[in-house]
Amino acid sequence: MRALLKTLLLSVVLSLTFNASRSQTDRASKGFLPITNDVFWDTKDGHPIYSQGGGIFTFKDPVDGVEKYYWYGAQYKESDLYRKDPSVTPPRDNFVSVTCYTSTDLVNWESKGDALTRDETDKHPHRTRWAGRLGVAYVKEINKYALFIQHNAEVLVTVSDSPNGPFTWHQRINMEGMIGTSNTGDQTVFTDEDTGISYLVYSYGKGRHKIFISEIGVKDGKIGLLDCTQIFKGAGREGNCMFKYNGKYYLFASNLYGWDSSYAYYLVADDIRGPYTPTNEMSILPGSEADYAHVTQTGFFVKVKGSKQETVIYCGDRWANFAGNGLGYNQWCPLSFDGANPYFNSLSAWNLNPVTGEWHVGKDNNYVKNGSFEADRRRIPSPAKPVQEQLLGWATTIIEGTNLSVSDSTSPSLNYFNTQQDRKTVIGEKSLQISDVVNFKRKIVQTIESSPYVKLEDGYYTLTAKLKNSDGFPQLDIYAESNGDTVKKSISKPNEVWTLVEIEKIPVRNGRVEIGFVAEGNAGAFCYVDDISLVKDY
């Protein structure tokens, strides 16, 4: 009876708290538009958006004269293949075109077709092997739009009279005389909103351990690069991009992890040419640690200067068509600031007011970090880059069984590499693995709590996961614990196919909940878990 009264009292308290304060997501109503990550995006008329490694710029539409957001990015043959069948990771990249989309609100996009075609990049007579990492600058002196794109081992400049394109061949720039390599490592175009001057932001072509900034302009009758300033020398970085906020310049980059995701790193300066701090040692963006910036590489930024606030949006590239690490090529998350220090809000669903600049958490947001285990690019524990004993965002405690070790090949593997058949049901190449060659007891935990900028609100939540397991488990539980109250579901029998497990009406209080798994297994027993979510009930 006492337990029943406690449960009833808790239900009343949560209901009163919820109704009195209302959810932060309830405020996302009139004027707010939804941004949903971890899905493939479409234009407003339902056609696929294919845009990777590009940028968003504001130009006046030459047809109606309205200032709009112009989003340019690369389309690859594999973008369509992977979207249609994400159970297969294509082996290589094949450039198709540079696409162009326009919007007045950053959510509803209209296709303007191909801004730069493969036929154009194959001219003069440089047949395209690689093309990507691009941006567009308006060159006021000659009233032209210039699209800069990596092309094979050099930088290709194409021009157009209109931001809609088509862009045509202008010149290729061999960067060797400027930086020592013919190519750039990675690059984007940044336009300073206060001066109107555009810059190419790029890294050294080999090792990518240097980062440079060059002003874009007209030189010897050609649109090109007017100067070169080295602003960083240190560890190799890619995905170089930047934004300006409250008068400061922020330079961002990722680790050299191929197509895979990594921490987001940044530098700050008062002048675009520096000095940038910390000197030659980039800081990790807080909030990006638990899931490698929502399983992305740094791509570009777009800033909404609203009537009530400025919001900087981190626009990450998820190269899932080449890394197999999830759904959706574009993952956008809002940044917050503590003074000059940025913070990454890893959200799967949020709402933006493009007029006021305000944003709120979306009602369908999944609060679990790395819930599909795609941030981990290797077998974990991993002795190779990145050296890593635990899965990102998760803590595994070995109570009994073989200890974890990055240097011992007999260490249990904490993740399982999904087969093609698995990937027809679960997302991506990897999932959680609970297994050992000896009898074992193990606990896997993620603690979810309010951040300085996103509140984990009191209320009821639903925890879901997909799992596949053998027999041989005296205990196998999925659970959630908040404020001393634990709810769990026991897996009592083997599941030969992926099965959805769900716990509803989880009471969460005081901005914190622990979720996880408790397993006691016999030698050789296994359980695979994928696609974990924790979503607030409404």
Side-chain angles (χ1 to χ4, degrees), residues 394-448:
W394 298 89
T396 295
T397 301
I398 304 296
I399 302 169
E400 291 182 14
T402 309
N403 290 327
L404 300 176
S405 174
V406 298
S407 57
D408 189 344
S409 61
T410 65
S411 172
S413 177
L414 297 183
N415 52 358
Y416 164 74
F417 283 60
N418 296 326
T419 66
Q420 182 178 349
Q421 187 61 39
D422 290 326
R423 292 170 63 182
K424 293 184 181 297
T425 305
V426 295
I427 295 171
E429 292 186 341
K430 303 175 189 70
S431 56
L432 170 67
Q433 178 169 244
I434 306 172
S435 185
D436 204 339
V437 296
V438 298
N439 292 346
F440 63 94
K441 292 182 181 179
R442 190 178 299 180
K443 187 176 184 180
I444 303 96
V445 171
Q446 179 170 134
T447 300
I448 301 168

Side-chain angles (χ1 to χ4, degrees), residues 239-254:
N240 314 287
C241 53
M242 67 188 308
F243 66 88
K244 188 177 184 181
Y245 181 79
N246 279 352
K248 292 184 179 294
Y249 297 87
Y250 293 79
L251 187 285
F252 275 71
S254 294

Side-chain angles (χ1 to χ4, degrees), residues 132-187:
R133 298 292 188 181
L134 60 109
V136 174
Y138 173 63
V139 184
K140 185 177 180 180
E141 300 95 308
I142 57 174
N143 192 27
K144 295 279 188 182
Y145 296 86
L147 188 156
F148 283 70
I149 183 171
Q150 290 178 326
H151 185 250
N152 298 340
E154 296 182 336
V155 176
L156 173 62
V157 184
T158 62
V159 298
S160 175
D161 294 326
S162 164
N164 298 334
F167 286 82
T168 57
W169 187 288
H170 183 67
Q171 70 161 331
R172 286 213 321 172
I173 302 174
N174 186 310
M175 300 294 293
E176 188 167 4
M178 189 172 287
I179 63 173
T181 57
S182 65
N183 62 313
T184 61
D186 266 350
Q187 64 180 43

Side-chain angles (χ1 to χ4, degrees), residues 70-110:
Y70 275 76
W71 182 9
Y72 305 90
Q75 177 183 2
Y76 300 93
K77 179 181 177 182
E78 293 72 22
S79 307
D80 182 58
L81 294 176
Y82 184 82
R83 176 171 173 143
K84 289 178 178 176
D85 183 7
S87 70
V88 178
T89 304
R92 59 153 299 159
D93 55 272
N94 288 277
F95 174 77
V96 175
S97 65
V98 173
T99 54
C100 175
Y101 303 92
T102 62
S103 174
T104 57
D105 57 22
L106 290 172
V107 174
N108 297 289
W109 292 94
E110 177 184 350

Side-chain angles (χ1 to χ4, degrees), residues 21 32 54 66 69 92 130 171 212 214 227 240 269 294 316 320 375 388 390 397 418 472 499 501 526:
S21 63
F32 285 83
V66 175
Y69 296 104
R92 59 153 299 159
W130 157 257
Q171 70 161 331
F212 306 90
S214 293
D227 53 29
N240 314 287
H294 210 79
Q388 189 177 320
Q390 297 276 352
T397 301
N418 296 326
T499 302
V501 178
F526 69 86

